Structures are given as C-alpha cells and as structure tokens.
Amino acid sequence: MGGTAAVEAVDLVKHFGTNRAVDGVSFVVPEGTVLGLLGPNGAGKTTLVRMLTTLSVPTSGTGRVAGFDVVTQPNEVRRSMGLTGQAATVDEILTGAENLRLVGALYGLPRAYVRDATERLLDRFDLTDAADRMAKTYSGGMRRRLDLAVSLLAAPPILFLDEPTTGLDPKSRSGLWAVLRELVDEGTTLLLTTQYLEEADQLADEIVVVDKGKVIAAGTPTQLKDEAGRASVVITLTHARDLAAAADLVRAHSPEVHVDRTGRRVTARAGGLGDMTRIAAAFEASGIELDDLGLARPSLDDVFLHLTGHRAEDAEDTEEAEPGPITEGAAP
Amino acid sequence: MTTLPTTRATRAPLVRPPLSPPSLARAASTIVWRNLLHIRRMPEMLLDVTVQSVMFVLLFAYVFGGAIAVAGSDYREFLLPGIMVQTMVFSSAVVATGLTNDLQKGIVDRFRSLPIPRSAVLVGRSISSLIHSSIGVAVMGLTGLLIGWRIRNGVVDGVLAFLLLLLFGFAVIWLGIWVGSIMRTVEAVQGFMFTVMFPLTFVANTFAPTESMPTWLRFVAEWNPISAVTQACRELWGNGLPAPADAAWPLQHAVPVSVGWSLLLTAVFAPLAVSAFRRRSRD
C-alpha cells in the first residue's frame, strides 16, 4: 500500500469573481504521511481544503482523495476522510456526547460502535467530565478537541485539519500535536494547514508553502529552513558606540553580518550552537558590554521574506498563539 | 495533554466498522432529532408561535374585536382561523433563521462533509420547522377552545383544514429557505422576514373582513394567498358565513384555490430555494 497517493491536487484553481483564491496548485500526499500547507491568512489554504473535502467546487483542475475524484465521486471522498474545519464546527446546543452521536448516525455507523467510540474518544481528548454539558459551555481548546473527536469518530484513513491550533494556548497546542502524532503512528494520513512554521516543522514530513493562491516552495522542513537562511546569532549591545567594533569582531566568525543601529543589534548568520559559543567567547575576551546574545531560528516571516520578498501579513488576532522567532541555546 | 491513567483499551486505535451511508429518510430524521433537541434545550425558541400568538389572540379578541363587525359570526370564531394561518406563515421565518444560523456557524459544512444525501439538510430543516409551527397551531387551537372557538362541521372537514394549513406551511417554507440561503446573518433574516410577513398577514381577511377596505386594497387582500387559506379554514370549520357575493374569485372557491396557491408557491420558490442553497454551499 505504501507509496500510493492518499490526496492529490492537480492544478487546482478556484476563482471568486475576479479574486484568484487558488491559482493552479498541485501536490501529492503519499499514504501514511503528513503534509503541511503553510501560508499566511488569505493565501488560499482554506479554499484548497474546502475543494479537497467536497465543500467547494473547483473552477478547474482535479482533486483526488483516496483515489476518488472530488467532483464526480463526492460521496466516496466523504466516506474516506474526516475534516476539522477552521472554526470548530460543533453544535453548541448539543452536549459533547450528543455531537458524537449526531455525526455517528449521519455516517450510518452501528449504534454499539458509536457508544464505544464515543467513550474512548471523550477519554482520549480529556472530555469525559464534560460529556453531558452543552458545547457552548466549553473553552476554545475543548471545542477544538471535540471537533477533532467528531472528525475521528468513523476512524477515517485520511484527515484534513484546517489551522487546528490557531487561537490555542501553547499547552493546548502541544497537547493537540501529541494526539496528531499518535494518529500518524496509527497510519492516518494528515493534511494540515497552518500559519506557523514551527507547527509544520513539528508535524509535517513535507511542507508546501502557498502565497496568493500559488505554491512558492515545497520540501521537507529541513530543506525549507536551509533555503530561508540558517540560524543567526543576534547580539544586542549595551552602548551604540561599540557597534563598529562588534561588527568587525563577528565578521571573523560569520560570512554575513547585519548591523541595526537603532536597535543596537548585530545579526550574524551562523551554522549553529558552535558558532554562537565562539562568538560569545570572542565578546567575553573583547570586553564589549552586551545586553543579550542568542541564537534565532528562521520564523515563518523569514521564510516568507526569503521566498517572496514580502512579509507574511499575519493574523493580528492570534498573537498569543504565535510562536515567533525563538531565541534558544540549542542548535537546530 | 493528559497525564491521567488511561486503560489500554481506550488507547487502542479505533477500527473502522463497515459504513452504511444513511438513506434520505434516516439522515433527515437524524437532523430533525437534532433540531428538536435545540427546541427542548431552548424552549424560548417557541415564543414566536406560542406566547406571541396567544397575545395576538387576546389582543384581537378583547381589545380590537369589539370594534370589528363581522357579519353572521362571533368575532372570536372569525379570528382563530386567521391567527392559525398567520402562525403557519411565520414558519418561513423560523426555517430561514435556523438555516442561516447553521450556515453561519459552519454546521451545514460539517453535514456536507459527511456521506449523506445532499437534500437531507433541507428536508430535515423543513420537517422540524413544520413541527415547530404545528406546536403553535395546537397552542392556538387550545386557546381558541378556551375563548369560544369551535369546529362545527365534523371531523373530516376539520382534519382537512389542518392538512390544508400544513400544505400551505410547506409552501411558504421554500420561501424561507430561499431567504435563509441568500442572507448572511440571522439578524438580517429576522429583519427582512418580519418586514415582509407582517403586512402580508394583515393585508388579508385574517383579522378583519375585507369588505370595508378601499377598493384597491380589498383587491390586493382578496388575491392574497393568505386570505384564500383563511377563508378555506373558516368554511371547513364552519366559522362564519361564506365569502360575500362581491368578493374576488379566489374567495368564492377558497378550498381548491388554497391548494392551488400552495402548489404554485412551491413551484416558484422550491427551485429558487434549492439553487440559492446550492450556490451558497458550493463556494
């Protein structure tokens, strides 16, 4: 079975009037792998997922899920996949358990199976205590978990997740990642969209970067980060007058050095932890006073800046969940 | 995410059982179950067809009624069929707000991502709206019995009138689905439906006889489908006299004309509604 395509997009196009939301996108997700669709708001990620899950009819191009055509065999496609949409689409008036029962009945699953699966899914997603409460009393994280549980009820071999962790706090986010990894271990194929490079990095075997409806890069997370520029060492000085001396000092260790006068910062491309330690030692010896010295990994913004020359116009309302550039002591 | 001790059984992956995608009847009845659960959880959803309608009955029976002269009948006998038709017409607003709400919240997308017949969402929604309105009609009937309204023409005609009400309700539901599919928010739907429904149900023979209206208005009122259905119910239930000799043609043949209006409205609005819903849920 290995090697066959679970999901396939061939030159998919979707126009809304004059807006080319998706403008010729192709990719393949092999069975049992995870594809991350990475891009800023408005890149066309959601539209792509809607076309592949039969919710939206493509203007042109072909989509196949489990080998079935999304336009001509929508029912076969719906039987093969689960979808967790961007807004958690649970019924707020029903309880958690009733939401599962509703979808179980609509799938045509046997009652005994639904009862057993409901219990197990609620347990798995930490919702057993809330099972008989209306979903409108749930927190954002609980709704997402319920939404995911509902998508998993029929144990679909392929799962689509549209920005599964947007708006979640870091703890809920890593909890969700752990569940998704378990699913992958069990053999589920995942296609997930995200605005966060870190998330794609954590979960995906392959990343497709989309911007303005087009694929602008594709590859493994490592390939993409290499392309976007490796890690850099960021040095913040205590006194602006030391900038020139600091830059000279760093140049001995790095081929590419950038000086930011207003921020009293020197940024140097670095290979990793080794470079950072050498640069730190050199400053220690020079006697130049520092406020901060750290290693920064490329963020989604850096990938975008590199690939498109413009910044990712990111959501302003999801700041709490934005991992951003991470300053850390470990080499990538 | 969890450090709670979990048994091995709950951690074992789910094994997919054979799927037997539901028939239209089963999918629609599941959606009806879900919609009725909403009503049970939020009984205030029924206010529009219960408290509000009872209030109408009392207002018209006791406040305005004394000033409205009805030939050959007690005003309360005359009023009840009119109020029941109005309740039925309001089911179009019920279906429209319910549908828009589900579209807005992504519930329709969730349903559409499942292997169910495409029409199940609309069929389920229509049936639950008819049940919603029928509860209203039942409440009206009981209120009517309390204040002196009676079915005077026997069981068959009595039941026939209720069936006619349901048929007309089914017809106006398509109008509701059409409006619900076009409009973006629940507030817009409510605003629109009530601006349209109130004049429509008042410029008719529902609350007052048409004979005293200015000629042009009387013409409009008597050709209003709501008047034919109201007149048909009055005749079948034996509430009041037949339409006056100078009334417009539809009122002279109220029962067949009501059936005709219902079929015509369905023929006009059903295709509009289905295509608007499809368009809304294609993108």
Side-chain angles (χ1 to χ4, degrees):
Chain A
M1 290 250 286
T4 41
V7 182
E8 214 177 338
V10 186
D11 210 18
L12 276 178
V13 173
K14 180 76 187 188
H15 293 174
F16 296 108
T18 56
N19 171 23
R20 297 157 169 269
V22 172
D23 206 5
V25 169
S26 303
F27 56 76
V28 174
V29 191
E31 230 171 56
T33 68
V34 182
L35 180 94
L37 269 178
L38 179 67
N41 268 350
K45 304 188 297 290
T46 297
T47 310
L48 269 166
V49 169
R50 289 179 62 82
M51 285 193 281
L52 289 169
T53 54
T54 75
L55 294 181
S56 173
V57 179
T59 308
S60 68
T62 311
R64 271 187 288 271
V65 174
F68 300 113
D69 188 289
V70 296
V71 177
T72 58
Q73 299 166 292
N75 268 317
E76 286 82 353
V77 170
R78 290 179 195 135
R79 244 170 270 162
S80 314
M81 59 88 190
L83 165 67
T84 298
Q86 196 168 2
T89 51
V90 295
D91 189 323
E92 297 181 325
I93 307 300
L94 302 194
T95 66
E98 284 166 347
N99 265 288
L100 286 157
R101 206 175 125 197
L102 172 68
V103 170
L106 292 177
Y107 261 114
L109 292 165
R111 265 167 202 275
Y113 170 85
V114 173
R115 245 192 321 270
D116 173 55
T118 297
E119 197 180 314
R120 285 159 61 171
L121 286 166
L122 289 173
D123 178 58
R124 183 173 196 171
F125 289 98
D126 249 359
L127 292 168
T128 305
D129 292 339
D132 297 322
R133 263 169 43 203
M134 279 193 246
K136 70 174 174 190
T137 66
Y138 286 17
S139 69
M142 289 166 79
R143 278 181 207 214
R144 286 296 174 102
R145 300 207 300 270
L146 178 60
D147 199 15
L148 190 53
V150 168
S151 315
L152 293 175
L153 185 66
I158 300 164
L159 187 62
F160 289 85
L161 299 135
D162 194 8
E163 303 204 359
T165 63
T166 297
L168 291 190
D169 59 74
K171 190 169 157 260
S172 311
R173 182 156 21 108
S174 53
L176 208 63
W177 287 351
V179 174
L180 294 180
R181 281 198 201 94
E182 283 175 31
L183 290 174
V184 175
D185 289 343
E186 290 162 17
T188 310
T189 306
L190 298 188
L191 188 154
L192 68 104
T193 76
T194 181
Q195 300 185 29
Y196 310 132
L197 182 64
E198 193 200 357
E199 185 159 278
D201 189 12
Q202 287 276 341
L203 296 170
D205 300 309
E206 183 91 14
I207 296 178
V208 170
V209 185
V210 286
D211 184 40
K212 298 183 173 139
K214 286 186 156 65
V215 174
I216 54 170
T220 65
T222 324
Q223 283 169 343
L224 275 177
K225 276 188 289 184
D226 283 353
E227 239 183 277
R230 276 170 212 85
S232 46
V233 176
V234 182
I235 304 120
T236 311
L237 304 177
T238 313
H239 307 292
R241 59 180 141 81
D242 294 331
L243 272 172
D248 284 343
L249 197 107
V250 175
R251 265 188 205 104
H253 300 276
S254 168
E256 208 181 302
V257 177
H258 179 76
V259 179
D260 170 12
R261 225 152 252 296
T262 48
R264 301 194 313 278
R265 243 193 317 266
V266 178
T267 309
R269 213 177 97 184
L273 193 58
D275 282 346
M276 191 191 76
T277 335
R278 275 188 288 282
I279 291 170
F283 273 104
E284 187 71 37
S286 72
I288 295 172
E289 273 184 81
L290 300 184
D291 278 356
D292 190 37
L293 185 148
L295 194 66
R297 295 197 307 174
S299 66
L300 173 62
D301 252 8
D302 298 324
V303 174
F304 263 80
L305 207 53
H306 175 77
L307 290 170
T308 67
H310 70 82
R311 292 209 157 264
E313 286 129 28
D314 231 0
E316 52 292 319
D317 55 341
T318 53
E319 263 170 13
E320 55 155 357
E322 174 68 71
I326 297 165
T327 307
E328 55 182 70
Chain B
M1 165 164 48
T2 172
T3 49
L4 296 170
T6 43
T7 59
R8 186 165 279 278
T10 62
R11 280 296 177 195
L14 292 170
V15 179
R16 161 171 270 199
L19 294 184
S20 50
S23 61
L24 174 60
R26 194 160 157 221
S29 61
T30 303
I31 292 174
V32 170
W33 165 75
R34 173 252 177 188
N35 292 344
L36 294 183
L37 258 182
H38 277 220
I39 294 182
R40 214 173 77 190
R41 296 272 151 77
M42 300 189 297
E44 65 271 23
M45 284 172 75
L46 287 175
L47 284 180
D48 54 351
V49 294
T50 53
V51 175
Q52 196 175 305
S53 305
V54 171
M55 198 185 68
F56 259 80
V57 171
L58 299 179
L59 269 178
F60 275 87
Y62 295 102
V63 180
F64 303 115
I68 303 173
V70 184
S73 164
D74 171 57
Y75 180 68
R76 290 173 212 166
E77 289 268 299
F78 174 89
L79 172 68
L80 249 286
I83 296 256
M84 289 204 193
V85 177
Q86 187 191 43
T87 303
M88 227 47 216
V89 170
F90 281 162
S91 56
S92 60
V94 174
V95 79
T97 46
L99 189 61
T100 308
N101 197 32
D102 282 354
L103 281 165
Q104 233 182 322
K105 295 225 164 108
I107 303 283
V108 171
D109 279 349
R110 164 65 80 193
F111 288 156
R112 290 179 58 241
S113 75
L114 302 172
I116 56 171
R118 309 228 77 176
S119 49
V121 176
L122 291 186
V123 173
R125 186 44 82 185
S126 308
I127 293 173
S128 54
S129 299
L130 276 180
I131 294 175
H132 185 138
S133 310
S134 303
I135 294 173
V137 168
V139 170
M140 283 308 88
L142 293 175
T143 314
L145 289 174
L146 284 178
I147 62 168
W149 167 77
R150 294 290 180 273
I151 295 175
R152 306 191 184 277
N153 276 5
V155 180
V156 177
D157 279 3
V159 170
L160 211 59
F162 282 113
L163 289 179
L164 199 59
L165 274 176
L166 278 178
L167 179 69
F168 191 62
F170 179 75
V172 295
I173 273 172
W174 292 108
L175 169 74
I177 290 175
W178 185 47
V179 173
S181 301
I182 291 173
M183 303 230 158
R184 297 279 142 181
T185 65
V186 172
E187 292 73 21
V189 168
Q190 280 170 340
F192 177 82
M193 288 312 265
F194 287 100
T195 349
V196 172
M197 290 303 155
F198 265 104
L200 263 182
T201 51
F202 275 87
V203 180
N205 60 358
T206 37
F207 298 100
T210 49
E211 290 97 293
S212 56
M213 295 179 186
T215 319
W216 66 272
L217 192 64
R218 181 178 178 188
F219 177 81
V220 173
E222 290 182 349
W223 280 87
N224 184 343
I226 291 168
S227 295
V229 181
T230 307
Q231 182 62 35
C233 288
R234 282 183 189 138
E235 287 175 14
L236 289 168
W237 285 327
N239 302 140
L241 300 173
D246 62 339
W249 175 81
L251 296 194
Q252 308 293 350
H253 313 273
V255 176
V257 166
S258 303
V259 175
W261 273 127
S262 301
L263 298 179
L264 184 67
L265 287 173
T266 306
V268 170
F269 286 113
L272 281 174
V274 170
S275 84
F277 180 73
R278 282 241 174 94
R279 222 176 311 123
R280 173 81 182 260
S281 52
R282 264 170 83 95
D283 285 340

